[in-house]
């Protein structure tokens, strides 16, 4: 991945920042220019709590080149509690423990790296909700 | 708009064509379609292709392939819609002739994957998804389809082995297609034991990617008397889209792009489900077969697997599917696939399919080519002439 893109996406990757429609209040991730619910062009940044539930998942054994070092890893669709669904990796959990519907929370982790001397990219992953 | 007919078809086998370049593959298909139409050339060329820039470091395919085919100077451009590129190019050819802008056009789908390693191809295929929010998170294209399959099994209670009949049907038919990549039937046991790629999708759920090119020549129906050959009428070719990322869809298990594209095609052609005699759908993964049948209206939501048996989808069945093997058995030369489907449908409607896979008496065919996981869907309806 390239540096400008990683920089441009920093608020999404680190803060889980999407948008909220000023007209109908729908929340979106990723951020949108036009609200898909009401077509309004007035949206404002909105940071999601990072809490959600697992909608679906897959354990990847054959990965694209820049993720080969991580196999097997778990990818997922997560329903955020504020509404939108998000695509991300799961972490701190083994495939046998994963269940559709389980509560999850966002953490910031290493997403990929460009070889031993290259850049390391960080961003959101989700793990089973830790309760105290 | 004028009515349009296909008067020439051509294809190369889907295979690992190590010794043949992208341009030569495309030219083989185009020249064979021109020969079939008995024409020396056409006025416009539309090239369907997805990965030439990434894997072959070659773009600007329109001019390149027009030149290679001995037609330098004509209108020629590349059309890209991921795995739906070829049928999208076909639509451009149909529109160009229908509008009267040109009297003859060729659509060729071409893909050359063996230039690079498998992981580079996996990376290339992932560009069909949302680069910032899906691919960058480590999702391969297979993984995206695996998310759909897992949820489908969870919501409707199907087991993995329930998908086997679709895969076996495709391979059974491919065994009789001389241009197919895999010409061997497979068993339910082989399906159950295949290597997992992205759980629950295994190797035999996935269509094998390969090199290949297929081409058609289209002209105006009102000019058919000028040409020889065996024409097939194009009754509709329509595109419907959906969000590129799965996570932005209200219900990821309902392919709205498929529904839109199918409804538009039915409206244009003035046909209904019962008027379609066989269906070449986009079985890139077995889950896509189920979801496509449902969103196209050929099966109820969540119930497509109930119909997955030979009596229903086999050659002599109620609705034959993937009659030449589909993506699964013929192979999936990504940006070329949509024109393969159309060429195969023409072979059926011209009564030129090998006897074992001939759908006898078929009058209308539907083909459906999908770019991404349901993001860009091209539905074509073809009809026998005479």
């Amino acid at each position: 991945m390239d540096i400008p893109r990683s920089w441009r996406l920093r608020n999404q990757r680190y803060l889980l920042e999407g948008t909220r429609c000023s007209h109908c209040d729908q929340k979106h991730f990723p951020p949108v220019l036009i609200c898909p619910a009401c077509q309004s062009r007035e949206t404002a940044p909105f940071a999601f709590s990072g809490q959600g539930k697992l909608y679906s998942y897959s354990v990847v054994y054959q990965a694209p080149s820049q993720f080969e070092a991580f196999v097997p890893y778990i990818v997922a669709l997560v329903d955020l509690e504020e509404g939108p669904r998000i695509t991300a990796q799961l972490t701190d959990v083994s495939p046998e423990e994963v269940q559709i519907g389980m509560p999850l929370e966002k953490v910031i982790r290493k997403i990929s790296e460009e070889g031993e001397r290259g850049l390391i990219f960080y961003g959101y992953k989700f793990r089973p909700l830790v309760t105290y | 708009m004028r009515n349009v007919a296909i008067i020439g078809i051509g294809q190369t086998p889907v295979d690992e064509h190590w010794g043949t370049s992208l341009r030569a593959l495309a030219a083989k298909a185009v020249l064979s379609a021109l020969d079939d139409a008995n024409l020396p050339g056409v006025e416009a060329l539309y090239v369907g292709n997805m990965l030439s820039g990434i894997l072959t470091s070659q773009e600007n395919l329109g001019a390149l392939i027009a030149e290679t085919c001995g037609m330098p100077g004509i209108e020629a451009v590349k059309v890209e819609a991921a795995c739906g590129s070829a049928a999208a190019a076909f639509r451009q050819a149909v529109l160009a002739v229908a509008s009267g802008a040109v009297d003859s056009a060729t659509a060729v789908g071409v893909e050359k994957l063996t230039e690079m390693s498998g992981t580079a191809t996996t990376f290339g295929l992932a560009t069909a998804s949302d680069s910032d929010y899906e691919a960058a998170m480590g999702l391969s294209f297979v993984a995206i389809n695996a998310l759909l399959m897992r949820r489908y099994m969870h919501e409707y209670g199907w087991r993995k082995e329930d998908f086997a009949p679709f895969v076996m049907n495709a391979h059974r038919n491919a065994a009789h297609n001389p241009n197919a990549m895999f010409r061997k039937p497979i068993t339910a046991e082989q399906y159950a034991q295949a290597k997992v790629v992205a759980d629950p999708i295994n190797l035999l759920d996935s269509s094998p990617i390969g090199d290949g090119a297929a081409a058609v020549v289209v002209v105006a129906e009102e000019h058919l008397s000028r040409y020889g050959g065996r024409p097939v009428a194009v009754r509709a070719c329509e595109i419907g889209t959906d969000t590129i990322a799965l996570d932005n869809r209200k219900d990821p298990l309902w392919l709205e792009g498929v529904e839109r594209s199918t409804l538009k095609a039915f409206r244009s052609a003035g046909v209904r489900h019962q008027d379609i005699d066989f269906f070449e759908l986009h079985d890139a993964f077995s889950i896509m077969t189920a979801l496509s049948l449902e969103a196209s209206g050929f099966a109820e939501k969540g119930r497509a697997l109930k119909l997955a048996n030979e009596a229903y989808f086999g050659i002599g069945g109620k609705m034959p599917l993937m009659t030449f093997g589909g993506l699964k058995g013929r192979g999936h030369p990504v940006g070329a696939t949509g024109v393969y489907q159309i060429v195969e449908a023409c072979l059926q409607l011209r009564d030129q399919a090998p006897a074992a896979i001939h759908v006898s008496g078929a009058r209308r065919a539907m083909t459906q080519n999908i770019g991404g996981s349901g993001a860009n869907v091209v539905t074509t309806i073809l009809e026998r002439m005479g």
Side-chain angles (χ1 to χ4, degrees), chain B residues 169 173 276-281 293 310-323 348 357-360 362 366:
Chain B
N169 173 60
N173 293 343
I276 304 297
D277 296 313
F278 65 97
F279 184 12
E280 299 298 332
L281 58 73
L293 283 168
E310 197 179 347
Y312 204 91
F313 290 140
I315 291 298
K318 194 169 170 218
M319 172 59 67
L321 286 187
M322 291 86 95
T323 64
Q348 291 286 8
I357 50 172
H358 183 214
V359 182
S360 62
M366 176 157 143

mmCIF file of all heavy atoms in Angstrom, chain B residues 169 173 276-281 293 310-323 348 357-360 362 366:
data_model
loop_
_atom_site.group_PDB
_atom_site.id
_atom_site.type_symbol
_atom_site.label_atom_id
_atom_site.label_comp_id
_atom_site.label_asym_id
_atom_site.label_seq_id
_atom_site.Cartn_x
_atom_site.Cartn_y
_atom_site.Cartn_z
ATOM 1 N N ASN B 169 -22.625 -30.757 -11.614
ATOM 2 C CA ASN B 169 -23.321 -30.466 -12.873
ATOM 3 C C ASN B 169 -22.403 -29.729 -13.843
ATOM 4 O O ASN B 169 -22.304 -30.081 -15.027
ATOM 5 C CB ASN B 169 -24.577 -29.633 -12.592
ATOM 6 C CG ASN B 169 -25.269 -29.150 -13.860
ATOM 7 O OD1 ASN B 169 -25.695 -29.945 -14.689
ATOM 8 N ND2 ASN B 169 -25.349 -27.828 -14.025
ATOM 9 N N ASN B 173 -20.938 -31.297 -17.483
ATOM 10 C CA ASN B 173 -21.124 -30.666 -18.787
ATOM 11 C C ASN B 173 -19.794 -30.288 -19.428
ATOM 12 O O ASN B 173 -19.618 -30.438 -20.645
ATOM 13 C CB ASN B 173 -22.012 -29.426 -18.653
ATOM 14 C CG ASN B 173 -23.441 -29.792 -18.267
ATOM 15 O OD1 ASN B 173 -23.843 -30.953 -18.395
ATOM 16 N ND2 ASN B 173 -24.197 -28.824 -17.796
ATOM 17 N N ILE B 276 -37.400 -18.520 -20.764
ATOM 18 C CA ILE B 276 -35.953 -18.813 -20.839
ATOM 19 C C ILE B 276 -35.759 -20.333 -20.817
ATOM 20 O O ILE B 276 -36.261 -21.026 -19.925
ATOM 21 C CB ILE B 276 -35.207 -18.180 -19.634
ATOM 22 C CG1 ILE B 276 -35.479 -16.669 -19.558
ATOM 23 C CG2 ILE B 276 -33.707 -18.468 -19.708
ATOM 24 C CD1 ILE B 276 -34.987 -15.857 -20.736
ATOM 25 N N ASP B 277 -35.018 -20.858 -21.806
ATOM 26 C CA ASP B 277 -34.859 -22.319 -21.920
ATOM 27 C C ASP B 277 -33.596 -22.852 -21.252
ATOM 28 O O ASP B 277 -33.537 -24.028 -20.899
ATOM 29 C CB ASP B 277 -34.870 -22.731 -23.394
ATOM 30 C CG ASP B 277 -36.211 -22.412 -24.033
ATOM 31 O OD1 ASP B 277 -37.249 -22.739 -23.414
ATOM 32 O OD2 ASP B 277 -36.233 -21.814 -25.133
ATOM 33 N N PHE B 278 -32.557 -22.025 -21.135
ATOM 34 C CA PHE B 278 -31.387 -22.420 -20.353
ATOM 35 C C PHE B 278 -30.648 -21.159 -19.917
ATOM 36 O O PHE B 278 -30.879 -20.070 -20.468
ATOM 37 C CB PHE B 278 -30.460 -23.386 -21.121
ATOM 38 C CG PHE B 278 -29.794 -22.801 -22.340
ATOM 39 C CD1 PHE B 278 -28.499 -22.302 -22.266
ATOM 40 C CD2 PHE B 278 -30.461 -22.750 -23.558
ATOM 41 C CE1 PHE B 278 -27.888 -21.759 -23.383
ATOM 42 C CE2 PHE B 278 -29.850 -22.211 -24.686
ATOM 43 C CZ PHE B 278 -28.562 -21.720 -24.600
ATOM 44 N N PHE B 279 -29.801 -21.316 -18.902
ATOM 45 C CA PHE B 279 -29.236 -20.146 -18.227
ATOM 46 C C PHE B 279 -27.742 -20.370 -17.987
ATOM 47 O O PHE B 279 -27.354 -21.291 -17.278
ATOM 48 C CB PHE B 279 -29.994 -19.949 -16.900
ATOM 49 C CG PHE B 279 -29.610 -18.716 -16.097
ATOM 50 C CD1 PHE B 279 -28.831 -17.697 -16.634
ATOM 51 C CD2 PHE B 279 -30.074 -18.563 -14.793
ATOM 52 C CE1 PHE B 279 -28.496 -16.572 -15.899
ATOM 53 C CE2 PHE B 279 -29.743 -17.440 -14.036
ATOM 54 C CZ PHE B 279 -28.951 -16.448 -14.589
ATOM 55 N N GLU B 280 -26.921 -19.534 -18.614
ATOM 56 C CA GLU B 280 -25.469 -19.552 -18.357
ATOM 57 C C GLU B 280 -25.200 -18.491 -17.308
ATOM 58 O O GLU B 280 -25.132 -17.300 -17.623
ATOM 59 C CB GLU B 280 -24.689 -19.258 -19.641
ATOM 60 C CG GLU B 280 -24.906 -20.258 -20.775
ATOM 61 C CD GLU B 280 -24.449 -21.670 -20.426
ATOM 62 O OE1 GLU B 280 -23.521 -21.811 -19.590
ATOM 63 O OE2 GLU B 280 -25.023 -22.628 -20.958
ATOM 64 N N LEU B 281 -25.090 -18.905 -16.051
ATOM 65 C CA LEU B 281 -24.904 -17.898 -15.001
ATOM 66 C C LEU B 281 -23.442 -17.835 -14.560
ATOM 67 O O LEU B 281 -22.619 -18.647 -14.971
ATOM 68 C CB LEU B 281 -25.862 -18.146 -13.832
ATOM 69 C CG LEU B 281 -25.846 -19.473 -13.077
ATOM 70 C CD1 LEU B 281 -24.634 -19.595 -12.189
ATOM 71 C CD2 LEU B 281 -27.116 -19.595 -12.259
ATOM 72 N N LEU B 293 -29.338 -17.395 -8.838
ATOM 73 C CA LEU B 293 -30.638 -18.015 -9.152
ATOM 74 C C LEU B 293 -31.753 -17.343 -8.370
ATOM 75 O O LEU B 293 -32.852 -17.116 -8.886
ATOM 76 C CB LEU B 293 -30.606 -19.511 -8.818
ATOM 77 C CG LEU B 293 -29.870 -20.386 -9.820
ATOM 78 C CD1 LEU B 293 -29.648 -21.787 -9.248
ATOM 79 C CD2 LEU B 293 -30.639 -20.473 -11.143
ATOM 80 N N GLU B 310 -29.867 -32.938 -10.641
ATOM 81 C CA GLU B 310 -29.686 -33.114 -12.077
ATOM 82 C C GLU B 310 -31.000 -32.964 -12.844
ATOM 83 O O GLU B 310 -31.047 -32.425 -13.946
ATOM 84 C CB GLU B 310 -29.051 -34.475 -12.341
ATOM 85 C CG GLU B 310 -28.455 -34.558 -13.721
ATOM 86 C CD GLU B 310 -27.795 -35.897 -13.990
ATOM 87 O OE1 GLU B 310 -27.591 -36.659 -13.031
ATOM 88 O OE2 GLU B 310 -27.501 -36.152 -15.161
ATOM 89 N N ALA B 311 -32.089 -33.453 -12.246
ATOM 90 C CA ALA B 311 -33.377 -33.410 -12.948
ATOM 91 C C ALA B 311 -33.794 -31.970 -13.217
ATOM 92 O O ALA B 311 -34.480 -31.677 -14.188
ATOM 93 C CB ALA B 311 -34.428 -34.119 -12.114
ATOM 94 N N TYR B 312 -33.344 -31.067 -12.364
ATOM 95 C CA TYR B 312 -33.729 -29.674 -12.546
ATOM 96 C C TYR B 312 -32.741 -28.911 -13.419
ATOM 97 O O TYR B 312 -33.107 -28.243 -14.379
ATOM 98 C CB TYR B 312 -33.863 -28.994 -11.180
ATOM 99 C CG TYR B 312 -34.770 -27.795 -11.243
ATOM 100 C CD1 TYR B 312 -36.128 -27.917 -11.007
ATOM 101 C CD2 TYR B 312 -34.263 -26.539 -11.581
ATOM 102 C CE1 TYR B 312 -36.974 -26.825 -11.096
ATOM 103 C CE2 TYR B 312 -35.103 -25.438 -11.662
ATOM 104 C CZ TYR B 312 -36.451 -25.590 -11.416
ATOM 105 O OH TYR B 312 -37.284 -24.504 -11.508
ATOM 106 N N PHE B 313 -31.440 -29.025 -13.090
ATOM 107 C CA PHE B 313 -30.444 -28.184 -13.747
ATOM 108 C C PHE B 313 -29.569 -28.926 -14.756
ATOM 109 O O PHE B 313 -28.670 -28.345 -15.338
ATOM 110 C CB PHE B 313 -29.548 -27.510 -12.697
ATOM 111 C CG PHE B 313 -30.263 -26.463 -11.912
ATOM 112 C CD1 PHE B 313 -30.057 -26.312 -10.544
ATOM 113 C CD2 PHE B 313 -31.153 -25.611 -12.533
ATOM 114 C CE1 PHE B 313 -30.711 -25.329 -9.819
ATOM 115 C CE2 PHE B 313 -31.823 -24.623 -11.817
ATOM 116 C CZ PHE B 313 -31.601 -24.490 -10.456
ATOM 117 N N GLY B 314 -29.801 -30.230 -14.947
ATOM 118 C CA GLY B 314 -29.035 -30.977 -15.944
ATOM 119 C C GLY B 314 -29.473 -30.613 -17.357
ATOM 120 O O GLY B 314 -30.425 -29.846 -17.546
ATOM 121 N N ILE B 315 -28.775 -31.185 -18.348
ATOM 122 C CA ILE B 315 -29.054 -30.830 -19.759
ATOM 123 C C ILE B 315 -30.503 -31.091 -20.145
ATOM 124 O O ILE B 315 -31.132 -30.289 -20.828
ATOM 125 C CB ILE B 315 -28.085 -31.605 -20.694
ATOM 126 C CG1 ILE B 315 -26.659 -31.068 -20.517
ATOM 127 C CG2 ILE B 315 -28.520 -31.512 -22.154
ATOM 128 C CD1 ILE B 315 -26.469 -29.601 -20.888
ATOM 129 N N GLY B 316 -31.080 -32.210 -19.712
ATOM 130 C CA GLY B 316 -32.467 -32.495 -20.075
ATOM 131 C C GLY B 316 -33.475 -31.957 -19.070
ATOM 132 O O GLY B 316 -34.674 -32.215 -19.167
ATOM 133 N N GLY B 317 -32.987 -31.201 -18.086
ATOM 134 C CA GLY B 317 -33.845 -30.758 -16.982
ATOM 135 C C GLY B 317 -34.723 -29.564 -17.318
ATOM 136 O O GLY B 317 -34.776 -29.102 -18.462
ATOM 137 N N LYS B 318 -35.398 -29.090 -16.290
ATOM 138 C CA LYS B 318 -36.352 -27.984 -16.455
ATOM 139 C C LYS B 318 -35.627 -26.700 -16.842
ATOM 140 O O LYS B 318 -36.107 -25.926 -17.663
ATOM 141 C CB LYS B 318 -37.085 -27.801 -15.120
ATOM 142 C CG LYS B 318 -38.305 -26.942 -15.242
ATOM 143 C CD LYS B 318 -39.149 -27.000 -13.983
ATOM 144 C CE LYS B 318 -40.237 -25.913 -14.077
ATOM 145 N NZ LYS B 318 -40.507 -25.274 -12.820
ATOM 146 N N MET B 319 -34.496 -26.447 -16.209
ATOM 147 C CA MET B 319 -33.722 -25.230 -16.492
ATOM 148 C C MET B 319 -32.232 -25.583 -16.515
ATOM 149 O O MET B 319 -31.536 -25.450 -15.521
ATOM 150 C CB MET B 319 -34.028 -24.190 -15.400
ATOM 151 C CG MET B 319 -33.152 -22.950 -15.438
ATOM 152 S SD MET B 319 -33.227 -22.010 -16.957
ATOM 153 C CE MET B 319 -34.905 -21.403 -16.884
ATOM 154 N N PRO B 320 -31.749 -26.060 -17.677
ATOM 155 C CA PRO B 320 -30.323 -26.418 -17.748
ATOM 156 C C PRO B 320 -29.435 -25.218 -17.395
ATOM 157 O O PRO B 320 -29.706 -24.093 -17.810
ATOM 158 C CB PRO B 320 -30.138 -26.829 -19.208
ATOM 159 C CG PRO B 320 -31.500 -27.208 -19.680
ATOM 160 C CD PRO B 320 -32.455 -26.319 -18.938
ATOM 161 N N LEU B 321 -28.403 -25.515 -16.610
ATOM 162 C CA LEU B 321 -27.471 -24.470 -16.166
ATOM 163 C C LEU B 321 -26.064 -24.813 -16.625
ATOM 164 O O LEU B 321 -25.687 -25.982 -16.628
ATOM 165 C CB LEU B 321 -27.422 -24.417 -14.640
ATOM 166 C CG LEU B 321 -28.576 -23.834 -13.850
ATOM 167 C CD1 LEU B 321 -28.174 -23.760 -12.383
ATOM 168 C CD2 LEU B 321 -28.975 -22.469 -14.352
ATOM 169 N N MET B 322 -25.265 -23.790 -16.934
ATOM 170 C CA MET B 322 -23.845 -23.977 -17.260
ATOM 171 C C MET B 322 -23.672 -25.133 -18.253
ATOM 172 O O MET B 322 -22.956 -26.097 -17.975
ATOM 173 C CB MET B 322 -23.032 -24.259 -15.987
ATOM 174 C CG MET B 322 -22.925 -23.079 -15.051
ATOM 175 S SD MET B 322 -24.299 -22.900 -13.890
ATOM 176 C CE MET B 322 -23.663 -23.716 -12.455
ATOM 177 N N THR B 323 -24.323 -25.009 -19.390
ATOM 178 C CA THR B 323 -24.402 -26.165 -20.307
ATOM 179 C C THR B 323 -23.042 -26.548 -20.894
ATOM 180 O O THR B 323 -22.849 -27.682 -21.314
ATOM 181 C CB THR B 323 -25.412 -25.905 -21.447
ATOM 182 O OG1 THR B 323 -24.944 -24.806 -22.243
ATOM 183 C CG2 THR B 323 -26.797 -25.597 -20.901
ATOM 184 N N GLN B 348 -25.543 -23.312 -28.723
ATOM 185 C CA GLN B 348 -26.791 -24.028 -28.410
ATOM 186 C C GLN B 348 -27.903 -23.625 -29.379
ATOM 187 O O GLN B 348 -28.574 -24.480 -29.961
ATOM 188 C CB GLN B 348 -27.252 -23.715 -26.970
ATOM 189 C CG GLN B 348 -26.384 -24.277 -25.869
ATOM 190 C CD GLN B 348 -26.544 -25.786 -25.683
ATOM 191 O OE1 GLN B 348 -27.210 -26.469 -26.471
ATOM 192 N NE2 GLN B 348 -25.903 -26.318 -24.644
ATOM 193 N N ILE B 357 -24.321 -32.388 -24.629
ATOM 194 C CA ILE B 357 -24.711 -31.198 -23.854
ATOM 195 C C ILE B 357 -25.646 -30.292 -24.650
ATOM 196 O O ILE B 357 -25.882 -29.140 -24.283
ATOM 197 C CB ILE B 357 -23.464 -30.392 -23.375
ATOM 198 C CG1 ILE B 357 -22.501 -30.127 -24.528
ATOM 199 C CG2 ILE B 357 -22.763 -31.099 -22.233
ATOM 200 C CD1 ILE B 357 -21.355 -29.183 -24.155
ATOM 201 N N HIS B 358 -26.195 -30.816 -25.743
ATOM 202 C CA HIS B 358 -27.103 -30.015 -26.566
ATOM 203 C C HIS B 358 -28.466 -29.894 -25.883
ATOM 204 O O HIS B 358 -29.085 -30.900 -25.552
ATOM 205 C CB HIS B 358 -27.246 -30.661 -27.946
ATOM 206 C CG HIS B 358 -28.105 -29.870 -28.877
ATOM 207 N ND1 HIS B 358 -28.922 -30.445 -29.817
ATOM 208 C CD2 HIS B 358 -28.277 -28.530 -28.995
ATOM 209 C CE1 HIS B 358 -29.563 -29.499 -30.490
ATOM 210 N NE2 HIS B 358 -29.181 -28.326 -30.006
ATOM 211 N N VAL B 359 -28.928 -28.668 -25.692
ATOM 212 C CA VAL B 359 -30.271 -28.452 -25.148
ATOM 213 C C VAL B 359 -31.200 -28.386 -26.358
ATOM 214 O O VAL B 359 -31.337 -27.339 -26.997
ATOM 215 C CB VAL B 359 -30.344 -27.140 -24.333
ATOM 216 C CG1 VAL B 359 -31.725 -26.963 -23.734
ATOM 217 C CG2 VAL B 359 -29.279 -27.127 -23.236
ATOM 218 N N SER B 360 -31.794 -29.517 -26.691
ATOM 219 C CA SER B 360 -32.512 -29.570 -27.972
ATOM 220 C C SER B 360 -33.796 -28.750 -27.909
ATOM 221 O O SER B 360 -34.502 -28.733 -26.908
ATOM 222 C CB SER B 360 -32.785 -31.019 -28.380
ATOM 223 O OG SER B 360 -33.603 -31.609 -27.426
ATOM 224 N N ALA B 362 -34.057 -25.605 -27.769
ATOM 225 C CA ALA B 362 -33.998 -24.358 -27.001
ATOM 226 C C ALA B 362 -34.226 -23.170 -27.923
ATOM 227 O O ALA B 362 -33.677 -23.094 -29.026
ATOM 228 C CB ALA B 362 -32.643 -24.238 -26.311
ATOM 229 N N MET B 366 -30.457 -17.201 -21.588
ATOM 230 C CA MET B 366 -30.072 -16.055 -20.768
ATOM 231 C C MET B 366 -28.640 -16.281 -20.310
ATOM 232 O O MET B 366 -28.286 -17.384 -19.878
ATOM 233 C CB MET B 366 -31.011 -15.952 -19.568
ATOM 234 C CG MET B 366 -30.656 -14.860 -18.592
ATOM 235 S SD MET B 366 -32.131 -14.389 -17.621
ATOM 236 C CE MET B 366 -31.385 -14.076 -16.034
#
